[in-house]
């Protein structure tokens, strides 16, 4: 029950965005190492795109939450959303107005998590 409740943020959101990894434009090198690196590069770019979306939503004073669940049932998501077979759902982003203002955060010392060499 606790695990199912974690999905409430998606079920209760007024809008959902399902970012998908699409390998259009990628290169095929013919060896597993380079082909794997090409896909990995696209996965990193998709993550950066999701992060940019979250930042843009915050700039519009909208609440958002990225949830990875669609990555565990990609075939179901493709079928329900009628997506092409080569689109890989990369989680889902719940979007709506925040229930409350964010709590103030304590200031952090960047030296605690940034290493300069």
């Amino acid at each position: 029950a606790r695990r199912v409740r974690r999905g409430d943020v998606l079920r209760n959101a007024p809008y959902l965005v399902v970012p998908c990894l699409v390998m259009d434009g990628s290169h095929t090198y013919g060896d597993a190492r380079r082909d794997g690196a090409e896909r990995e590069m696209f996965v990193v770019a998709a993550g950066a795109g999701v992060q940019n979306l979250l930042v843009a939503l915050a700039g519009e004073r909208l609440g958002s939450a990225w949830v990875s669940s669609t990555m565990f049932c990609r075939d179901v998501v493709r079928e329900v959303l009628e997506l092409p077979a080569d689109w890989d759902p990369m989680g889902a982003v719940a979007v709506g107005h925040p229930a409350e203002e964010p709590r103030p955060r304590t200031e952090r010392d960047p030296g605690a998590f940034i290493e300069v060499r």
Side-chain angles (χ1 to χ4, degrees), residues 49-60:
V50 170
Q51 182 64 34
N52 287 338
L53 172 65
L54 298 176
V55 169
L57 291 169
E60 296 294 326

Side-chain angles (χ1 to χ4, degrees), residues 31-104:
D31 68 85
R33 184 186 64 78
R34 290 192 297 169
D35 288 345
E38 184 79 357
R39 178 170 170 74
E40 195 172 347
M41 182 178 63
F42 273 67
V43 170
V44 169
V50 170
Q51 182 64 34
N52 287 338
L53 172 65
L54 298 176
V55 169
L57 291 169
E60 296 294 326
R61 301 192 53 77
L62 291 168
S64 63
W66 176 80
V67 180
S68 63
S69 58
T70 68
M71 296 175 74
F72 295 93
C73 54
R74 290 180 169 144
D75 291 336
V76 172
V77 174
R78 281 189 209 99
E79 181 181 336
V80 169
L81 297 180
E82 299 177 2
L83 299 174
D86 60 343
W87 286 30
D88 277 337
M90 303 298 286
V93 178
V95 180
H97 291 281
E100 58 188 46
E101 286 294 317
R103 292 183 291 275

